[in-house]
Amino acid sequence: MGKLAICPGSFDPITNGHLDIINRGAKVFEKVIVTVFNNQSKSPLFTVEERIHLLEESTKDMPNVTVDSSDHLLMDYAQEKKAHAVIRGLRAISDFEYEMQITSMNRKLNEDIETFFMMTNNQYSFLSSSMVKEVAKYNGNISGLVPKHVEEALKRKFNYK
Ligand code: ADP
């Protein structure tokens, strides 16, 4: 396709589900920018800098993927980067209504940037950052759900290490 896509999210922290979507996107688009948006309505566990660092470590073997952050509107940011598309992941039906709302708003803000939805690998259909944080908080086993260095970072955050 030879084009640039933005993969936006909170990534608090990145999970293997996010990584699956980033990987798929990187195969289709020439360049993918994974952008941490500082969503004020969520109270994050990791700072933006920490989230960027965890994302960079997770995507270091993907040559056409870079990591960035922004506190602007997604569509303004995408326009500024001259992006052609936005990539979002879809897990279960429960994601659908929320994603449709954002996408129709984004389309109203900028008709020229298309949103692409990608279905995650089935094994990640019920995986979310919040679920991972909840389990990690009680020192539960989250191996296989997040990259190893994210698992370590969660342990440090909750003082298990
Ligand atoms: P947001 O706050 O924008 O929802 P998230 O970091 O939770 O940010 O998610 C970013 C994107 O990744 C969203 O498109 C979301 O649907 C997708 N996503 C989150 N978890 C998974 C997963 N397990 N599999 C596939 N996509 C996912």
Side-chain angles (χ1 to χ4, degrees):
M1 208 177 272
K3 297 199 163 175
L4 165 67
I6 309 291
C7 187
S10 312
F11 305 105
D12 185 39
I14 179 167
T15 67
N16 286 343
H18 290 130
L19 214 44
D20 181 68
I21 295 298
I22 296 168
N23 237 316
R24 287 170 198 280
K27 285 189 202 149
V28 177
F29 291 91
E30 189 174 56
K31 197 169 170 242
V32 173
I33 308 179
V34 183
T35 309
V36 177
F37 280 84
N38 206 2
N39 188 338
Q40 303 289 352
S41 56
K42 295 186 178 178
S43 42
L45 176 66
F46 291 97
T47 65
V48 170
E49 289 69 31
E50 288 171 326
R51 284 181 265 163
I52 289 179
H53 180 74
L54 294 174
L55 275 164
E56 281 175 344
E57 184 64 26
S58 313
T59 56
K60 66 172 191 250
D61 295 329
M62 302 179 196
N64 59 338
V65 175
T66 52
V67 179
D68 193 16
S69 69
S70 172
D71 39 33
H72 294 134
L73 262 181
L74 168 61
M75 282 308 178
D76 290 345
Y77 172 84
Q79 172 107 47
E80 187 193 308
K81 293 284 171 193
K82 300 189 172 34
H84 303 92
V86 167
I87 303 171
R88 297 283 292 175
L90 279 181
R91 288 165 289 192
I93 301 283
S94 47
D95 276 342
F96 199 79
E97 190 167 349
Y98 172 70
E99 294 293 341
M100 268 185 66
Q101 282 180 17
I102 314 185
T103 304
S104 24
M105 181 53 82
N106 283 343
R107 192 172 280 165
K108 183 171 154 46
L109 296 173
N110 192 327
E111 277 273 356
D112 298 328
I113 301 173
E114 286 299 336
T115 301
F116 284 73
F117 291 101
M118 269 186 280
M119 204 181 99
T120 186
N121 188 312
N122 286 347
Q123 73 190 107
Y124 304 130
S125 291
F126 296 97
L127 177 59
S128 65
S129 299
S130 36
M131 200 72 86
V132 163
K133 284 183 278 188
E134 195 59 25
V135 176
K137 191 167 144 187
Y138 299 99
N139 204 17
N141 181 8
I142 50 165
S143 65
L145 303 181
V146 295
K148 197 77 199 152
H149 64 281
V150 175
E151 201 180 326
E152 308 275 311
L154 279 160
K155 283 200 174 124
R156 281 196 300 275
K157 233 349 148 193
F158 291 117
N159 292 321
Y160 289 113
K161 216 167 168 188

